[in-house]
Amino acid sequence: MLPIHQSAKQNFETKANELLKLLKIIPESTNYNANFFPEIYVSATITPADIRGEISEEEKDYRGKTIERFFRCQNKQIGLIEPDHEKLVELAKSIQRSPSVKEKLSQKFLEDTIFIWLKKSIELKIN
C-alpha cells in the first residue's frame, strides 16, 4: 500500500465519488459506414472464456486522446463523456503527482483503475 496523506486521500475519495454522479447512460452509436464490405470475411466465435480482464470502450478525438469511456451494465452503455471525462483525467493526474505515487504508477494505469472502480461501484448499487 502506498502511503498517502490522510487529507489527500479524503480529497481523492471525494472527487472519485463526484465522478460517480457524472456517469451517464450513453446512446448507442450508429456512426458506422454500412457501405464498407471487406474483401476477406473472417468468421470466429469469442466465448466468455476467451475474454480476460475488464472490458471498456473508448472514443478518441482526431489526435488519439480519449474523450469518452463507457462500459456495459444491464444492456446499457454507461460512462463519462466530454467534459466529464476530463475530470477523470484530472483526478488521475492529481493522484499521480503525489510523491509516493509519482514514480510507481502511471497516469494511464490510474485512469484505468479509477474507471474500473466506477464500473464496480455502479454494479454494486444495481445488484
Side-chain angles (χ1 to χ4, degrees):
M1 184 114 161
L2 299 172
I4 297 177
H5 192 273
Q6 188 62 30
S7 63
K9 181 180 174 187
Q10 289 173 342
N11 181 39
F12 297 149
E13 287 176 1
T14 300
K15 289 181 179 179
N17 285 318
E18 289 171 6
L19 282 174
L20 270 174
K21 297 173 187 172
L22 297 175
L23 288 171
K24 295 180 176 77
I25 295 174
I26 300 172
E28 296 284 336
S29 176
T30 56
N31 297 347
Y32 58 88
N33 186 353
N35 297 326
F36 173 76
F37 296 102
E39 294 178 19
I40 300 173
Y41 292 93
V42 178
S43 176
T45 302
I46 299 174
T47 67
D50 297 321
I51 300 172
R52 295 189 177 121
E54 297 291 328
I55 296 176
S56 67
E57 300 173 59
E58 301 177 346
E59 289 284 329
K60 296 183 182 274
D61 66 9
Y62 68 95
R63 297 170 292 183
K65 177 182 173 189
T66 301
I67 56 172
E68 297 179 4
R69 280 184 186 223
F70 41 90
F71 57 86
R72 300 209 178 262
C73 185
Q74 294 187 343
N75 292 327
K76 294 180 181 144
Q77 285 189 52
I78 300 173
L80 295 169
I81 57 175
E82 262 190 322
D84 296 335
H85 182 269
E86 191 59 34
K87 293 177 183 172
L88 167 73
V89 173
E90 289 302 317
L91 176 58
K93 282 180 182 178
S94 64
I95 294 171
Q96 208 271 334
R97 283 192 295 262
S98 299
S100 61
V101 176
K102 187 180 274 188
E103 295 181 13
K104 295 177 179 73
L105 303 174
S106 71
Q107 178 184 325
K108 172 78 169 122
F109 174 81
L110 291 167
E111 286 178 29
D112 293 345
T113 303
I114 294 166
F115 196 73
I116 290 168
W117 177 83
L118 291 169
K119 178 183 179 201
K120 289 185 181 194
S121 296
I122 289 296
E123 288 171 346
L124 284 174
K125 284 184 180 182
I126 292 173
N127 294 328

